Amino acid sequence: MPVTSPRFNHFVREFTRLVDDSSSDETQVLSRGRELLAELVGRDDWLPDLYAQPHPQYYQQYLLHADPQDRFSVVSFVWGPGQKTPIHNHTVWALIGMMRGGERAECFELGLPGQPMQSLGIEDLNPGIVDSLSPRVGDIHRVSNKYDDRVSISVHVYGGNIGRISRHVFDPQTSTRKTFISGYSNEAEISG
Ligand code: FE
C-alpha cells in the first residue's frame, strides 16, 4: 500500500527534485535533505498505522518509498521497547529523522584485527531532530530505542535502496565483519 498523505507526497517530490539537481553532490543532498526531513517528521500525523507497527521481537523497517532509479529510499523504523540493531554500516549516506519517542545512536570505529571496537560516543535523538551519516567520515553505529517501556519511530532516508545493499555487521569484541542484506519488513507487499 503506497503512502498517500499529501505531506509525504510533497516530501518525495521535493527529495526527487533535490537528487535530480544534485545527485552527485552529497553535501548539498544532506544539507537540503535535512531541512526536508525535519519538515516531514516535525508533524506526526501522516504515517499509516500499517507502517507504525512494532514486532514483539525485532525492530521493523518498512519501505515507504524507493526512488525508481535507486538514488534514495525512505524507510520507517519502528522500535519496540528496548529493541536495538547490531553494530552495522550503510555504505551510502543516511538521514535519520526522529518522529515519535526517542533513539540512541552509538558510533564506533574498527579496532585492529582481533581487537575490540572503540566507541566514538553516544547521541540521543528526540522528536523533530535530524541526524546524518556519511561513509566518507565513518558510518558504523548501533541504534536502539531510548525507551524500554514504549514504541519509538524514526524516518530514515538513504542514498540508495538500503534494503537491497550488501553491507556489514560487526562483532564489537573482535572487529570482525559479516556481510548482510537487511531487506524490508513489508517485503511481501513490495514484491507484490
Ligand atoms: Fe543505521
Side-chain angles (χ1 to χ4, degrees):
M1 189 186 89
V3 182
T4 54
S5 94
R7 177 174 293 279
F8 185 74
N9 288 343
H10 170 78
F11 173 80
V12 168
R13 254 195 330 270
E14 289 296 308
F15 216 104
T16 302
R17 186 184 325 205
L18 173 60
V19 294
D20 281 345
D21 293 347
S22 52
S23 60
S24 56
D25 185 343
E26 186 185 285
T27 308
Q28 201 173 322
V29 171
L30 289 181
S31 103
R32 172 69 181 138
R34 172 185 288 268
E35 294 173 4
L36 293 172
L37 186 56
E39 203 177 291
L40 181 68
V41 298
R43 284 272 293 276
D44 184 1
D45 62 358
W46 56 268
L47 182 68
D49 278 349
L50 188 60
Y51 305 127
Q53 294 303 317
H55 180 280
Q57 210 174 344
Y58 308 106
Y59 63 92
Q60 299 289 282
Q61 312 163 74
Y62 298 103
L63 179 66
L64 305 181
H65 175 79
D67 174 62
Q69 296 172 51
D70 278 352
R71 296 172 299 177
F72 71 98
S73 55
V74 188
V75 180
S76 65
F77 264 68
V78 183
W79 308 92
Q83 290 175 351
K84 63 176 166 196
T85 69
I87 300 177
H88 64 276
N89 68 359
H90 310 84
T91 74
V92 292
W93 58 257
L95 286 162
I96 295 143
M98 200 68 225
M99 192 160 77
R100 200 179 299 176
E103 221 174 74
R104 178 158 294 165
E106 183 169 15
C107 287
F108 290 88
E109 72 182 358
L110 288 169
L112 293 168
Q115 298 296 309
M117 299 180 76
Q118 309 294 321
S119 174
L120 296 174
I122 292 177
E123 201 182 347
D124 277 355
L125 295 184
N126 295 315
I129 297 299
V130 176
D131 196 9
S132 67
L133 281 173
S134 165
R136 288 180 300 114
V137 291
D139 71 336
I140 302 176
H141 71 175
R142 175 171 56 202
V143 183
S144 54
N145 190 343
K146 202 169 100 177
Y147 299 102
D148 53 19
D149 60 354
R150 60 169 151 144
V151 170
S152 292
I153 299 179
S154 53
V155 177
H156 299 195
V157 187
Y158 297 96
N161 191 340
I162 194 69
R164 303 284 175 260
I165 292 175
S166 177
R167 46 202 180 113
H168 299 102
V169 291
F170 300 88
D171 178 344
Q173 298 313 320
T174 63
S175 298
T176 308
R177 67 182 199 179
K178 224 169 52 183
T179 301
F180 89 113
I181 296 175
S182 64
Y184 296 107
S185 305
N186 52 338
E187 205 62 69
E189 168 203 331
I190 296 162
S191 47

